[in-house]
Amino acid sequence: MKQDKIFVTQPSLPDLDEFINSLKEIWDSKWITNMGKFHKEFENQLTNYLGVKYVSLFANGTMALISALQVLRITGEVITTPYSFVATTHALWWNGIKPVFVDIENGYCNLNPEKIEAAITPNTTAIMPVHIYGNPCDVNRIQEIADVYGLKTIYDAAHAFRVERDGNSILNFGDLSVLSFHATKTFNTIEGGAIVCQDEKTKKRIDFLKNFGFADEVTVVAPGINAKMNELQAAYGLLQLKTFDEQIKKREEITKVYRDSLIGVNGIRLLKDIEYIKHNYSYFPIFIDDTIYPISRDNLYEKLKEKNIFGRRYFYPLISEFPAYRGLASSKPANLPVANKIANQVLCLPIYPDLSVKNVLLIIDIIKNV
Ligand code: T4K
């Protein structure tokens, strides 16, 4: 009998009866969007849960990224990573900003701070790194560079929900951090996102911008957009918060099984575990060196697929390889040797709270016995 399909991820959903109760309340009130009761409550609870100063909810992560650049009036050129989901760079393009790709470091696949300065020009206004797979960037070094050159820092923290460094939320670094609550993320509100900021004035500007620029009924202070999270998403998110710690525990258990079994397998590299990081175990990437491992990354990807196991090559191809961006000088493979190597080696294995250990062991068995 063929194995049921196992995808790279599967969303955890809140208890249906509890959600129906919330829906009944929304139905009775007839207040379904525009910063209602659930929106306010979800923002408050998230702010506490994440240990941050201000949270502003969005309809999705991409609208939050696009808006974050507007909030800080970023223009010209922005230094960013080619090793991410396309939305990171698309957000720049939608703002008429030129992305300047800088290579990543081998250890955690994050933007390499040592390569940033060489890419700065008089047009550079900001750095937009990504905490890829939820592993924190070198935030201190990046901030040092930003301070010297007078640049803003906007973190794409789509993967970094609840990640902490030395007991402090990683979202507290940089000018702004942007979260995604898409169905495929560790924390989901079906679609959804948020901007985390550090002061009240900025929070106000974010809230104006996500609501057409309205400051009150008759005052529009900026050319804003409609990027609000609705009441159904917010009610769903509130319920998710109740079970999130449990969900993370299950992810941690799965990570441990993968790590214990795959560490030391010839030709497979895992990301290093760091003690002072509180992880969210959002992804489990492995990196295949096919000069040592018996088959190529793509062959392993196909072999798993034959067995109904759908890993994903996040993040291949590099963003810099897509038609919209490949003509840029910074997209040249010679400028991005590490990113090119990693993109050709990576395979993200299935990980989600309801994935059984039996199925994890099955995946491991296939990988070890190709
Ligand atoms: N920045 C970064 C660094 C990001 O990773 C993302 C999103 C963003 C920004 C933008 O945030 P949002 O605007 O999306 O909030 C997925 C997601 O669509 C995308 O949100 C995510 N990154 C990216 C890494 O992955 P796909 O094209 O791989 O998704 P899809 O539909 O193939 O789903 C993957 C697997 O998940 C499926 O094979 C099965 C499972 N799945 C998916 C959905 C949608 C389910 O079981 N249920 C579902 O409802 O992009």
Side-chain angles (χ1 to χ4, degrees), residues 7-11 60-62 65 84-85 87-88 130 156 158-159 180 182-185 192 283 312 314-315:
F7 294 108
V8 69
T9 188
Q10 183 184 79
N60 60 61
T62 304
L65 276 173
S84 180
F85 187 60
T88 312
V130 183
D156 180 337
H159 303 172
S180 163
H182 182 260
T184 56
K185 295 289 181 288
Y283 293 85
R312 290 293 286 266
Y314 293 136
F315 288 97

Side-chain angles (χ1 to χ4, degrees), residues 29-98:
S29 73
K30 306 275 189 299
W31 195 278
I32 55 181
T33 187
N34 284 13
M35 286 72 77
K37 175 189 153 181
F38 285 95
H39 184 285
K40 282 187 197 126
E41 182 59 25
F42 186 33
E43 268 191 2
N44 287 340
Q45 287 199 24
L46 261 186
T47 307
N48 289 333
Y49 183 77
L50 295 172
V52 297
K53 292 203 182 91
Y54 298 94
V55 172
S56 191
L57 296 171
F58 275 76
N60 60 61
T62 304
M63 286 310 301
L65 276 173
I66 290 172
S67 305
L69 292 157
Q70 286 282 326
V71 168
L72 300 179
R73 298 177 186 277
I74 304 298
T75 56
E77 295 177 6
V78 169
I79 289 174
T80 190
T81 169
Y83 191 76
S84 180
F85 187 60
V86 279
T88 312
T89 308
H90 284 349
L92 297 171
W93 192 91
W94 276 71
N95 275 289
I97 295 164
K98 180 177 167 189

